[in-house]
């Protein structure tokens, strides 16, 4: 259980640091999602190769996930040690994907 | 021990070559002095972060590991499968427009959850409860649409296991795709269902006026989990619905 001081300081931090562009992030997420849905249909029409389409979708997904993590999960406003915490598994993700690609 | 000199450092150039390098460290350790004292470190790196919130983040890290493995297994199945359907072709069994709407619903639920945390932090319980309820409704809608899609796909013959009856609109060669699809979206759906249950519990407690349920930290901790299932779906949706092979 958290100490009262830590909990209180956390609530204070949440209250003070909330100048967040929630609506803007929502709009951006929606716009990027619409683009994602259209890419597989329009890509071949514009002569974009399948590998470029996959790359675009991976990059757009990573951008969307970053927006959610930074603004909705408040990682942007958290102490550095908490920002680092979720980065560890990302190295694991990259490693796994590289192994799959290598095969 | 003649000729050995235990310095306070790990290894001293002035020490005789026969001195074991770890001697100083062992000596310091035996004296009960932390070796880290000599370097740059923080005694309490997580000071100021509540333990409940830190615990949730550690749990989320384990969830990222879990879904990473699951997605990597799905990718491995995909690249090794004899056949994989291409999106935007008549044979592709999944309904992209319906799931796109579902994706918007989940993204919107993340927005309402963030607003609920914001309202709780600014001591606006009525606004917080309204956004919390909206999140619950959106989350329930997401699960309902996924259940509808599963039932439709099952009726058409796309199953997670080899088909036992031949009467189906889905070709047999989609078996591997079905396994990968149901495994990944199924585990995600189970996590969303867990989040919906947590939201339902929090809603009941908040609407009944329990003080702990309207605290910013409580709402934030539930919100962190909810956002994670959104993040996972952000990757799963293009992977299963938009990318071929």
């Amino acid at each position: 259980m958290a100490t009262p001081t830590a909990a209180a300081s956390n609530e204070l931090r949440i209250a003070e640091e909330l100048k967040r562009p929630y609506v803007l992030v929502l709009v951006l997420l929606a716009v990027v999602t619409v683009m994602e849905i259209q890419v597989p249909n329009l890509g071949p029409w514009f002569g974009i190769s399948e590998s470029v389409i996959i790359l675009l979708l991976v990059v757009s997904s990573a951008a969307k996930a970053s927006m959610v993590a930074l603004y909705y999960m408040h990682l942007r406003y958290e102490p550095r040690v908490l920002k680092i915490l979720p980065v560890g598994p990302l190295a694991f993700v990259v490693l796994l994907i590289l192994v799959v690609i290598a095969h | 021990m003649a000729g050995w000199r235990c310095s306070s450092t790990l290894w001293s150039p002035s020490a005789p070559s026969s001195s074991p390098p770890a001697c100083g460290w062992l000596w310091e350790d035996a004296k009960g002095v932390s070796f880290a004292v000599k370097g740059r470190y923080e005694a309490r790196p997580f000071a100021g972060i509540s333990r409940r919130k830190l615990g949730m983040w550690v749990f989320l890290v384990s969830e990222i590991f879990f879904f990473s493995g699951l997605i990597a297994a799905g990718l491995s199945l995909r690249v090794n499968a004899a056949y994989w359907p291409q999106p935007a072709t008549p044979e592709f069994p999944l309904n992209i427009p319906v799931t796109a709407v579902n994706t918007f619903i989940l993204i919107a639920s993340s927005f309402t959850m963030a607003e609920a945390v914001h309202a709780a932090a600014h001591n606006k319980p009525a606004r917080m409860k309204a956004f919390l309820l909206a999140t619950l409704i959106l989350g329930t809608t997401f699960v309902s649409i996924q259940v509808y899609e599963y039932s439709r796909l099952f009726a058409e013959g796309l199953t997670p296991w080899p088909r036992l009856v031949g009467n189906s609109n889905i070709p047999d060669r989609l078996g591997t795709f079905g396994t990968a699809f149901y495994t990944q979206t199924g585990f995600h759906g189970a996590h969303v269902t867990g989040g919906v249950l947590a939201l339902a519990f929090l809603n009941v407690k908040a609407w009944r006026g329990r003080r702990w349920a309207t605290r910013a930290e409580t709402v934030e901790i539930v919100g962190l989990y909810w956002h994670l299932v959104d993040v996972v779906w952000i990757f799963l949706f293009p992977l299963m619905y938009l990318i071929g092979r």
Side-chain angles (χ1 to χ4, degrees):
Chain A
M1 193 171 161
T3 60
T5 314
S9 104
N10 186 41
E11 299 216 358
L12 190 65
R13 181 196 54 71
I14 295 167
E16 284 177 350
E17 294 177 351
L18 289 182
K19 293 173 184 170
R20 295 165 190 169
Y22 287 152
V23 178
L24 179 65
V25 169
L26 177 67
V27 171
L28 282 173
L29 289 172
V31 168
V32 175
T33 306
V34 169
M35 288 166 62
E36 279 182 342
I37 296 162
Q38 294 307 319
V39 161
N41 297 322
L42 298 180
W45 205 64
F46 285 106
I48 302 172
S49 69
E50 182 72 17
S51 51
V52 175
I53 290 173
I54 292 172
L55 184 68
L56 283 173
L57 288 171
V58 169
V59 169
S60 63
S61 298
K64 284 165 64 183
S66 302
M67 279 193 277
V68 171
L70 287 173
Y71 292 100
Y72 288 168
M73 298 174 92
H74 313 143
L75 266 186
R76 188 178 171 183
Y77 311 97
E78 296 291 0
R80 191 170 56 178
V81 68
L82 210 55
K83 286 179 185 166
I84 294 169
L85 200 59
V87 175
L90 294 182
F92 179 65
V93 174
V94 172
L95 182 70
L96 276 178
I97 290 171
L98 287 177
V99 167
V100 170
I101 290 170
H103 276 273
Chain B
M1 297 291 285
W4 284 12
R5 195 173 77 193
C6 284
S7 66
S8 60
T9 55
L10 182 64
W11 180 78
S12 166
S14 62
S17 58
S18 58
S19 301
C23 181
W25 179 82
L26 287 171
W27 179 245
E28 293 286 323
D29 193 53
K31 286 195 296 185
V33 177
S34 169
F35 191 56
V37 170
K38 298 184 185 69
R40 288 182 59 202
Y41 86 111
E42 289 180 62
R44 299 178 64 210
F46 295 104
I49 302 168
S50 84
R51 281 175 234 173
R52 293 194 300 172
K53 185 171 161 181
L54 182 61
M56 175 51 82
W57 267 110
V58 171
F59 172 67
L60 295 188
V61 166
S62 77
E63 288 285 84
I64 296 170
F65 275 118
F66 171 75
F67 277 106
S68 303
L70 199 65
I71 289 172
L75 286 175
S76 181
L77 270 181
R78 180 185 300 236
V79 296
N80 291 303
Y83 177 78
W84 198 270
Q86 280 295 114
T89 57
E91 201 182 57
F92 193 68
L94 307 180
N95 192 331
I96 295 174
V98 168
T99 313
V101 171
N102 221 13
T103 303
F104 284 121
I105 288 170
L106 200 60
I107 288 170
S109 76
S110 253
F111 165 75
T112 54
M113 191 73 225
E115 285 285 359
V117 176
H118 185 263
H122 283 84
N123 203 20
K124 295 175 180 170
R127 186 180 163 86
M128 186 278 285
K129 286 188 276 188
F131 275 113
L132 210 55
L133 185 61
T135 311
L136 175 63
I137 292 168
L138 290 167
T140 309
T141 309
F142 179 89
V143 175
S144 306
I145 290 177
Q146 196 174 23
V147 168
Y148 158 75
E149 192 190 13
Y150 273 21
S151 62
R152 187 186 63 81
L153 288 170
F154 261 82
E156 288 181 3
L158 185 74
T159 55
W161 45 78
R163 197 165 338 114
L164 301 175
V165 287
N167 184 17
S168 163
N169 298 326
I170 304 285
D172 282 334
R173 61 177 181 266
L174 284 180
T176 310
F177 174 78
T179 303
F181 169 75
Y182 283 111
T183 306
Q184 292 177 83
T185 59
F187 271 111
H188 176 264
H191 278 76
V192 178
T193 306
V196 166
L197 291 175
L199 280 169
F201 179 74
L202 194 60
N203 262 283
V204 168
K205 295 297 177 187
W207 283 91
R208 283 185 178 175
R210 294 296 172 92
R211 190 165 150 62
W212 64 264
T214 56
R215 280 182 53 195
E217 193 187 44
T218 310
V219 184
E220 190 188 21
I221 286 169
V222 176
L224 284 174
Y225 176 80
W226 189 252
H227 295 309
L228 182 86
V229 297
D230 185 24
V231 167
V232 171
W233 186 251
I234 281 171
F235 286 102
L236 273 184
F237 172 61
L239 209 58
M240 293 311 306
Y241 290 80
L242 304 177
I243 295 176
R245 186 165 59 174

